[in-house]
Amino acid sequence: MRNFNLWAVLLLLPLLAGCGKTATTITTDVDKELTGKWQLEKVIEENDTINKPSGKNGLYDVSLTFKEKGELEATSSTNYLTGFYETAQLNAIHLGGDGTEREETAWGNAFVNALPNVNIYDLKSNNRLVLFYNNNSQLIFNRVQ
């Protein structure tokens, strides 16, 4: 009986050792298409279209960078944000994170206020990304990298 217990422990040891490991994130084809830097060019809210203001020193450069394994970086007009993204079937997306809290320009506010409400994305063939929020409002990006 003593030999049986020893063999049972030896056989189960690899299984027990594997229980503490974390799961590896699998990158989907959609994640690969999103990966890279995207610059905000236009915001559409209800029937109002707001184009990126022209400005000096990159003050109005608002961007999202989708990294591998669901990591997300964003820059608004005055703040830097880090977080995560998750994609699902039917172009569903969830964004989340936190960042600095300096006063924003109106352009930066449009981005920062919309970001938590984004729930659908559409990748266009011309290197454009549209993020939908609050029914049919849109953040429209061009691929930078």
Side-chain angles (χ1 to χ4, degrees):
M1 185 71 169
R2 191 170 175 191
N3 284 339
F4 174 76
N5 288 338
L6 180 61
W7 280 106
V9 169
L10 290 174
L11 289 173
L12 291 175
L13 191 59
L15 286 173
L16 295 173
C19 289
K21 293 183 180 179
T22 57
T24 303
T25 303
I26 299 172
T27 304
T28 66
D29 289 338
V30 170
D31 294 339
K32 289 178 185 175
E33 291 175 4
L34 280 174
T35 301
K37 186 173 183 179
W38 300 85
Q39 185 142 15
L40 183 62
E41 297 296 326
K42 189 182 301 185
V43 176
I44 299 174
E45 290 183 343
E46 296 176 13
N47 293 325
D48 192 19
T49 300
I50 307 162
N51 289 309
K52 176 183 172 184
S54 57
K56 55 185 172 181
N57 300 331
L59 180 63
Y60 298 108
D61 290 346
V62 172
S63 65
L64 278 176
T65 303
F66 293 94
K67 296 183 164 195
E68 293 181 12
K69 298 183 183 176
E71 295 175 8
L72 176 70
E73 290 180 356
T75 55
S76 63
S77 54
T78 58
N79 288 291
Y80 180 79
L81 306 108
T82 59
F84 65 91
Y85 70 97
E86 296 174 339
T87 57
Q89 295 178 0
L90 302 174
N91 290 5
I93 190 168
H94 175 73
L95 308 173
D98 199 13
T100 58
E101 296 182 11
R102 290 184 230 141
E103 189 174 336
E104 286 286 352
T105 64
W107 179 245
N109 272 331
F111 171 71
V112 170
N113 292 335
L115 210 53
N117 300 312
V118 168
N119 56 2
I120 297 174
Y121 70 94
D122 186 13
L123 280 167
K124 304 289 187 181
S125 60
N126 59 351
N127 284 323
R128 293 188 80 137
L129 170 65
V130 180
L131 299 179
F132 293 91
Y133 65 100
N134 296 345
N135 295 321
N136 203 27
S137 295
Q138 303 170 30
L139 299 172
I140 302 174
F141 295 83
N142 286 327
R143 184 183 291 276
V144 178
Q145 298 172 342

